[in-house]
Amino acid sequence: MWTLSNNKSWEHLEHTFAWVRDMAATPQDPAHHAEGDVAVHTRMVLEALCADAAFLALLPQEQEVLWAAALLHDVEKRSTTIIDADGSISSPGHARKGALTARNILYRDIPAPFAIREQVVALVRYHGFPLWALERRDPVKELVKVSLEADTRLLAILARADVMGRICGDRDELLYRIDCFEAFCQEQGCWGTSRAFATPHARMHYLLGENTHPDYVPFNTPIAEVVVMSGLPGAGKDTFIRKHFPELPLVSLDGLRHEMDVAPTDAAGNGRVIQAAKERARAFLRRGEGFVWNATNTTRQMRTQLLELFYSYGAQVRIVYVEVPWRQLARQNGSREAVVPAGVLEKLAAKLEVPAAWEAHQVSWFSADPAI
């Protein structure tokens, strides 16, 4: 069974992990966290979690996942905390940035199996969602997307521990919001499971559309399937394509750079490469032909720009994410013809956002998990 740390004493965690030590230097607004800094709060959250009957009823591996998420849930308040002139303190974006850090820690420093790592990451990313779910512009759609990434049952347990692990004047109201979140999940078929759809096409029609209903099944069919590769340099995307999609036309950014004699560091040249690649993609889409788009596509922003183009033509999209353990990645990158500098690879890994199931009609993850 994977565990972040066999010794769960706070003294051991502080001694072992610099990011735990940073918590004691990160203040919080006393109006919402009268207990003190992030270290005090995190210790209280862990204590509340381990005393929760719902947590104790979980399977041992689920407990480890939740415990790791609780330890990491505020890890990036250290880098996002702002103290305003009036003394108020906030940490905008700490959940999103914390999810990136959690992934990096569990990919590079304390290797975890892919599925377990991504569970922890999703819980860190959405740990505040149960408190504010019903206030979103489109709460049902937001819940559907979250349910496709995180186990809402575990999310509610973490949110309760997060509330119980603080001193604030609105604790009862916050706990009531979590109760409402649980009822909302059950009502929408998202409690402890992903929201079910009749077909992948129905799911994407709902997620991409405005004023759509999750149970509606569209009659139109996609013109073709586009396979979008995703993965860090050296992960094995080219090998995967040769093995699984040898018959499909290929739009490759590396191939176009070679064809156009553009260096990877040439910003203006790379802009021309991307435009040429998109024009080739449009030509395939106009003819209703499927193809493979091969590039790193390691952030959601990168993928969104592409997916919007493909969806605008009525294509069906399959994202294929490929991953190998960090040490193996470094070796494979070193054996490539176009080696990515180590510092660049580290920056790409630090910003890696693994594709979520709601991004495309089909998302496949292929990971050579490390030996634990």
Side-chain angles (χ1 to χ4, degrees):
M1 183 180 72
W2 176 85
T3 180
L4 180 65
S5 176
N6 288 313
N7 186 338
K8 291 180 169 54
S9 73
W10 190 259
E11 293 72 20
H12 172 78
L13 297 172
E14 277 191 319
H15 176 75
T16 306
F17 304 120
W19 44 270
V20 173
R21 293 193 293 275
D22 289 343
M23 294 178 185
T26 307
Q28 299 185 109
D29 196 306
H32 305 289
H33 289 278
E35 72 277 3
D37 57 42
V38 173
V40 174
H41 169 59
T42 302
R43 292 184 71 171
M44 291 175 65
V45 171
L46 291 170
E47 290 169 2
L49 182 70
C50 293
D52 188 342
F55 173 80
L56 296 173
L58 296 173
L59 297 172
Q61 188 63 85
E62 290 178 314
Q63 291 181 351
E64 288 296 322
V65 166
L66 255 180
W67 185 90
L71 178 63
L72 286 158
H73 81 285
D74 281 346
V75 67
E76 282 305 335
K77 279 190 173 179
R78 60 181 178 177
S79 64
T80 60
T81 292
I82 300 170
I83 303 177
D84 293 328
D86 62 0
S88 61
I89 301 173
S90 60
S91 305
H94 76 276
R96 181 181 180 278
K97 191 171 182 182
L100 297 178
T101 297
R103 180 178 287 116
N104 208 41
I105 289 170
L106 300 181
Y107 177 48
R108 295 181 52 186
D109 303 334
I110 312 168
F114 177 84
I116 288 175
R117 184 192 79 205
E118 291 305 310
Q119 285 184 64
V120 175
V121 170
L123 290 170
V124 172
R125 173 66 182 88
Y126 296 111
H127 71 267
F129 183 73
L131 297 177
W132 311 107
L134 294 175
E135 297 183 11
R136 301 299 180 98
R137 185 179 67 86
D138 191 338
V140 175
K141 187 169 290 187
E142 289 296 316
L143 174 61
V144 168
K145 292 172 71 174
V146 170
S147 78
L148 290 164
E149 285 192 70
D151 184 326
T152 54
R153 180 178 51 105
L154 301 184
L155 201 56
I157 296 173
L158 176 59
R160 284 196 177 90
D162 191 13
V163 171
M164 296 302 294
R166 68 177 78 180
I167 298 174
C168 58
D170 58 350
R171 175 185 286 181
D172 289 344
E173 179 188 344
L174 296 177
L175 291 174
Y176 174 70
R177 290 187 181 196
I178 298 170
D179 290 340
C180 291
F181 169 75
E182 178 175 339
F184 184 47
C185 290
Q186 292 171 343
E187 176 185 300
Q188 297 299 327
C190 295
W191 181 241
T193 187
S194 299
R195 211 290 185 182
F197 286 85
T199 66
H201 188 40
R203 184 183 71 245
M204 295 311 298
H205 180 271
Y206 169 68
L207 293 174
L208 295 172
E210 294 289 338
N211 301 317
T212 54
H213 193 278
D215 292 330
Y216 174 72
V217 180
F219 293 99
N220 62 317
T221 57
I223 60 166
E225 182 177 70
V226 178
V227 177
V228 176
M229 299 301 297
S230 174
L232 292 166
K237 296 185 293 298
D238 292 342
T239 301
F240 191 96
I241 292 169
R242 286 194 295 269
K243 181 177 180 181
H244 296 280
F245 306 113
E247 75 289 352
L248 287 180
L250 179 65
V251 178
S252 168
L253 296 194
D254 282 346
L256 277 169
R257 287 189 192 97
H258 180 75
E259 184 180 319
M260 299 169 65
D261 195 23
V262 173
T265 55
D266 181 351
N270 275 296
R272 294 195 302 273
V273 166
I274 292 172
Q275 289 307 311
K278 287 183 177 179
E279 188 48 48
R280 290 192 181 184
R282 289 187 184 97
F284 286 122
L285 292 166
R286 284 192 291 266
R287 295 195 299 268
E289 295 181 25
F291 61 93
V292 178
W293 178 285
N294 188 21
T296 55
N297 296 313
T298 50
T299 69
R300 194 150 288 160
Q301 183 179 17
M302 289 179 184
R303 294 189 296 271
T304 297
Q305 295 174 359
L306 284 177
L307 299 180
E308 287 178 350
L309 170 63
F310 303 153
Y311 291 140
S312 71
Y313 279 85
Q316 177 169 300
V317 177
R318 175 184 177 187
I319 300 176
V320 176
Y321 173 76
V322 181
E323 178 181 295
V324 294
W326 175 250
R327 291 184 180 179
Q328 182 180 340
L329 181 78
R331 291 196 302 271
Q332 291 180 186
N333 175 56
S335 64
R336 299 172 78 226
E337 183 176 341
V339 177
V340 176
V344 174
L345 190 62
E346 289 176 1
K347 289 181 180 179
L348 288 171
K351 296 179 179 180
L352 171 66
E353 293 175 290
V354 171
W358 53 262
E359 293 185 45
H361 296 81
Q362 182 180 355
V363 181
S364 304
W365 303 273
F366 295 88
S367 171
D369 279 333
I372 302 299

